[in-house]
Amino acid sequence: MDIQTIGIVGAGQMGNGIAHVLALAGYDVKMTDVSGEALENAMKLIEGNMSRQAGRGKISEDDMATALKRIDTSTTLTDLGPSDLIIEAATERETVKQAIFEDLLPHLKPHTILTSNTSSISITRLASRTDRPEKFMGFHFMNPVPVMQLVELIRGIATDEETFSACKAVVDRLGKTAASAEDFPAFIVNRILMPMINEAVYTLYEGVGNVQSIDSSMKLGANHPMGPLELADFIGLDTCLAIMNVLHDGLADTKYRPCPLLTKYVEAGWLGRKSQRGFYDYRGDMPVPTR
């Protein structure tokens, strides 16, 4: 099918980034959120990010103006009903995602494809709660969306080939690369990345190294662009913990046990950059390690 209109559920970090790249690629986008303020902030952020791209010569001022006009916003979820494709980018909680799809179902067109930007939750299980499991799949963008080149496409057990091909065509039009993943806990990227981050937290927890030495070791010793604890703060420690719990519960292997220190930071509300404190304290001019 030819996808022209795309609905996005959620105007947060992922949702606004997805809207940004879709609009630049020529899609008509409608972005919804329960918060009107979140939608306003998202549009300001998108405009600011596009301005930076224009300043660097990556897009023209005309491209930017046209793309911004393609993005419509609404606080009413069911306004997404006429969309050809819907990408859910709400919080990483299965009950929230299920409720969103349940509210959408009566308002969808027969051909509408439903997708989730989930980083770890079972696509098959989410799809089974809808009336169109064959037209449901995982559409997992990486953060920050305008910069990162990969999109994981995850088939549920019932996803048909037409749905996969339509979503793959969207990724191609964005100029990004699709990686096809099977529907197992955390898929590909987070199946590999999150245990590494969790092991870095264990290394800190056991006193093998402090925050600075662990991050410096991986940046200079393994040529990683960011240290694992710095990266955890960027992702959000609550998200890291949620994915580790999905891995631990779904695969029943003790190697995926979340580090108690990671749990402790989340309990304290020290979630990383978004809360100004995590493995680093971001409240001053420069980030300062908290351990």
Side-chain angles (χ1 to χ4, degrees):
M1 63 173 288
D2 183 27
I3 291 172
Q4 296 298 330
T5 58
I6 301 180
I8 300 169
V9 183
Q13 194 172 37
M14 297 304 295
N16 73 64
I18 296 167
H20 175 141
V21 298
L22 290 174
L24 278 176
Y27 291 104
D28 292 323
V29 178
K30 184 174 283 277
M31 179 168 55
T32 66
D33 199 283
V34 292
S35 164
E37 184 182 1
L39 288 167
E40 286 178 26
N41 290 338
M43 290 307 299
K44 287 176 188 171
L45 194 59
I46 291 168
E47 187 170 358
N49 289 338
M50 284 189 185
S51 290
R52 273 195 292 278
Q53 286 180 304
R56 294 173 188 150
K58 294 192 173 182
I59 61 173
S60 70
E61 293 287 346
D62 286 346
D63 290 337
M64 173 179 161
T66 304
L68 288 171
K69 286 177 186 172
R70 290 195 186 106
I71 305 174
D72 191 15
T73 62
S74 173
T75 54
T76 305
L77 177 66
T78 53
D79 283 351
L80 299 188
S83 305
D84 298 322
L85 166 68
I86 291 174
I87 302 172
E88 171 274 313
T91 189
E92 190 70 353
R93 292 212 305 274
E94 188 165 348
T95 52
V96 172
K97 295 179 186 298
Q98 286 174 346
I100 287 167
F101 291 125
E102 191 174 311
D103 289 346
L104 278 171
L105 288 178
H107 305 275
L108 301 179
K109 294 193 287 190
H111 72 264
T112 301
I113 293 172
L114 290 175
T115 68
S116 177
N117 185 58
T118 179
S119 52
S120 61
I121 296 168
S122 168
I123 298 302
T124 298
R125 196 162 61 237
L126 287 173
S128 72
R129 301 288 292 269
T130 74
D131 64 354
R132 59 194 70 204
E134 72 287 348
K135 292 188 180 300
F136 193 109
M137 66 181 299
F139 209 132
H140 182 214
F141 288 84
M142 306 295 127
N143 185 35
V145 179
V147 175
M148 302 297 278
Q149 290 301 301
L150 185 76
V151 179
E152 282 183 312
L153 293 180
I154 305 104
R155 289 180 176 91
I157 197 168
T159 306
D160 63 26
E161 191 57 38
E162 184 184 15
T163 298
F164 178 85
S165 297
C167 290
K168 171 71 163 53
V170 173
V171 177
D172 291 344
R173 185 162 153 184
L174 295 177
K176 295 187 183 294
T177 299
S180 178
E182 294 302 314
D183 185 24
F184 291 100
F187 319 130
I188 295 172
V189 173
N190 284 318
R191 173 75 176 263
I192 296 166
L193 176 64
M194 285 302 159
M196 184 199 77
I197 287 175
N198 194 51
E199 195 62 31
V201 183
Y202 266 115
T203 305
L204 178 65
Y205 174 63
E206 293 169 4
V208 180
N210 60 27
V211 169
Q212 195 69 58
S213 63
I214 291 166
D215 277 352
S216 294
S217 294
M218 293 309 292
K219 283 193 282 189
L220 302 178
N223 209 26
H224 289 190
M226 295 173 74
L229 302 176
E230 182 186 4
L231 179 57
D233 275 358
F234 179 76
I235 294 167
L237 304 192
D238 52 341
T239 301
C240 294
L241 180 60
I243 295 170
M244 286 309 301
N245 280 325
V246 166
L247 281 165
H248 192 228
D249 295 344
L251 298 171
D253 192 322
T254 55
K255 73 180 180 179
Y256 299 116
R257 183 171 68 97
C259 179
L261 184 60
L262 178 60
T263 303
K264 190 68 67 182
Y265 268 73
V266 173
E267 288 174 345
W270 291 20
L271 308 181
R273 285 179 179 268
K274 61 186 172 186
S275 67
Q276 295 293 295
R277 276 193 292 188
F279 293 113
Y280 293 84
D281 189 327
Y282 299 92
R283 294 173 296 174
D285 294 334
M286 293 287 290
V288 178
T290 54
R291 289 178 89 86

